[in-house]
Amino acid sequence: MRAKVDYWLVPVGDAPPIEAIAADYQEQRFRPHWHEGYAVGAVTRNKQGFRCRGRDWIAHEGDLMLINPREVHDGYALDGGWSTRMTYFEPAAFAALVPGLRGSPGWFAAPVVRSSALFDLFREWHDSTRVGLRVERLAQTAPLMAALSRTMQMESPVQTVTDSVLRIVSGPDGPMPASAAEGTLADESARPSRTTSWRRVKASTGVSSKILSSQLRLSDAKRQLASGAALVNAALDAGFYDQSHLSREFASAYGMTAGQFRRRQVENADRMRTQPDGATAMPLRVGRPTSAT
């Protein structure tokens, strides 16, 4: 993976912080995954390919990418890589920031949006999140969230990972460990009812039960790391073979290692204890720098 990634966190009242990324990717390929919150990003150089909602999409320079909570997608380079600015909002944080919202904010209607006004507004807001203020205090936050809310609908997209899907995949004992997930196909023949359920899961999400089980383990490990858990403990508790296994899987889904993610989370927690009105002031650089044009 040849990439330059800057990663920082921006506090949002009492809600979980917004994750912000500015990245330049040359050969990156993200595995199918989902986020627990809303992903909002802009392509600032070249173009990016990704699969979502049962088809392939291309986001060109100047386009916005809008991904819903638990909406399965991947990502891959096209013709020389791409540069992007991304943000990840937990649902509670997103809802709290939409002016005048009552109830659920709904779902993004389309994963790619071309609007020069919205692109410019998002890019200006994204730049302003680096200055060290809570997001509520940034002048661009209210107009951006109002504009994003106008791209949404109340009907859910087809391929989201619902709670019922998670119950089927995880079973009564939590996320399937890696050793069990690798034997899924062999085990299915002895359990026709579960096989039928897993086929329905693939039809509704577009990915296999093995990929979904892996993502459940990643989500579990990510929550533990955000709470300050040690890498080895998070890896084993979430069902990975070891710390290295977690870091490889983490990087293929999120573009940084588990250790790099945990370090920024710990830094943010420490800073918020001493500077409750500020965000993480300095971004974390991940990966090997490459030149961006």
Side-chain angles (χ1 to χ4, degrees), residues 202-276:
K202 185 169 185 178
S204 66
T205 64
V207 293
S208 69
S209 58
K210 180 178 178 180
I211 290 175
L212 293 175
S213 295
S214 175
Q215 180 62 36
L216 276 177
R217 295 194 302 273
L218 276 175
S219 296
D220 184 16
K222 189 177 182 184
R223 282 191 294 270
Q224 293 186 52
L225 293 171
S227 299
L231 286 170
V232 64
N233 292 340
L236 297 178
D237 288 348
F240 292 93
Y241 291 118
D242 52 28
Q243 180 176 321
S244 296
H245 183 205
L246 168 61
S247 285
R248 288 194 303 273
E249 293 289 306
F250 201 97
S252 70
Y254 303 125
M256 68 187 77
T257 68
Q260 290 162 336
F261 171 81
R262 182 185 182 278
R263 183 162 71 252
R264 179 51 89 199
Q265 296 289 330
V266 170
E267 289 172 356
N268 182 67
D270 290 342
R271 185 170 285 106
M272 288 305 297
R273 280 193 290 270
T274 58
Q275 303 174 20

Side-chain angles (χ1 to χ4, degrees), residues 165-220:
V165 166
L166 293 182
R167 284 193 293 271
I168 292 172
V169 174
S170 64
D173 301 319
M176 189 186 305
S179 56
E182 290 185 356
T184 294
L185 294 179
D187 294 341
E188 286 181 10
S189 60
R191 293 179 292 181
S193 61
R194 191 155 176 82
T195 301
T196 301
S197 296
W198 278 335
R199 286 173 180 159
R200 287 200 298 266
V201 164
K202 185 169 185 178
S204 66
T205 64
V207 293
S208 69
S209 58
K210 180 178 178 180
I211 290 175
L212 293 175
S213 295
S214 175
Q215 180 62 36
L216 276 177
R217 295 194 302 273
L218 276 175
S219 296
D220 184 16

Side-chain angles (χ1 to χ4, degrees), residues 98-196:
V98 176
L101 177 68
R102 292 188 178 133
S104 169
W107 307 86
F108 291 126
V112 177
V113 171
R114 168 147 291 194
S115 165
S116 58
L118 184 54
F119 175 87
D120 291 342
L121 180 58
F122 173 78
R123 186 167 182 171
E124 182 181 0
W125 172 83
H126 192 277
D127 287 344
S128 73
T129 64
R130 293 177 180 263
V131 301
L133 295 175
R134 285 184 178 272
V135 71
E136 299 94 328
R137 298 174 61 185
L138 301 176
Q140 301 90 343
T141 296
L144 172 66
M145 300 307 294
L148 287 174
S149 69
R150 291 192 288 271
T151 71
M152 307 183 88
Q153 62 186 30
M154 294 312 297
E155 182 181 355
S156 172
V158 175
Q159 291 185 315
T160 57
V161 181
T162 62
D163 287 341
S164 61
V165 166
L166 293 182
R167 284 193 293 271
I168 292 172
V169 174
S170 64
D173 301 319
M176 189 186 305
S179 56
E182 290 185 356
T184 294
L185 294 179
D187 294 341
E188 286 181 10
S189 60
R191 293 179 292 181
S193 61
R194 191 155 176 82
T195 301
T196 301

